[in-house]
Amino acid sequence: MEIEGIQMFAAPNRFRRPLIGLALGVPVTVLALIAAIVSAGAGHGDYVAARLLFPAPMLASLLSGHTIAAPSIVIALLQFPAYGALIGWSLGRQSSVPTFFAAAVHIAAAILCFSGMIPNFS
C-alpha cells in the first residue's frame, strides 16, 4: 500500500536487514535450546551444548549462585535473534567488524565456560 510516495506497512530499508536477521534468529534459538536441553540431560548431563551455544547465559550463572536462573534464560532467548539483527545491520552497513567482534566475544565466553569457571550442574 502506498500513500503519496510513502510505502505503508513496510520497514524502512535501514531496518529491513536487521529485522530479517532477528526473525531468522528465532528458529536458530529454538534449535539451540533443544540441543542445550538434550545436553543438560535433565540435570545429569554435561551441558556441553549449553556452554558452547549459550556461553554468556552460562557465565551469568556465576552471579546467581551457580544456578541457571531467569536472567540467564532471558539472555539465552535473546542471544541468537540479537546476533541475527547484528548480522543484518552489519550487512546493511557493509561492515563485518561488528559481527566479528560479537563472534570473538562469544568464542572467548565459550572458552571461559570450558575453563572450569562454572560447575557442571550435575
Side-chain angles (χ1 to χ4, degrees):
M1 179 174 183
E2 190 168 311
I3 299 175
E4 295 181 33
I6 300 173
Q7 190 175 10
M8 302 297 291
F9 307 113
N13 277 338
R14 67 176 186 218
F15 296 123
R16 187 164 290 131
R17 287 184 179 166
L19 288 174
I20 291 170
L22 184 131
L24 291 174
V26 173
V28 173
T29 297
V30 171
L31 295 173
L33 282 173
I34 291 169
I37 290 167
V38 169
S39 173
H44 300 288
D46 56 17
Y47 289 83
V48 169
R51 292 172 192 239
L52 185 63
L53 296 169
F54 299 105
M58 293 300 287
L59 289 173
S61 71
L62 293 172
L63 303 173
S64 60
H66 299 288
T67 61
I68 301 171
S72 292
I73 294 169
V74 170
I75 294 168
L77 291 173
L78 297 176
Q79 176 181 307
F80 286 106
Y83 285 171
L86 179 67
I87 291 168
W89 180 75
S90 296
L91 288 171
R93 293 179 49 96
Q94 297 180 346
S95 171
S96 57
V97 173
T99 301
F100 284 124
F101 180 76
V105 169
H106 183 101
I107 291 167
I111 290 169
L112 288 174
C113 283
F114 288 101
S115 73
M117 284 184 67
I118 57 176
N120 250 349
F121 300 107
S122 54

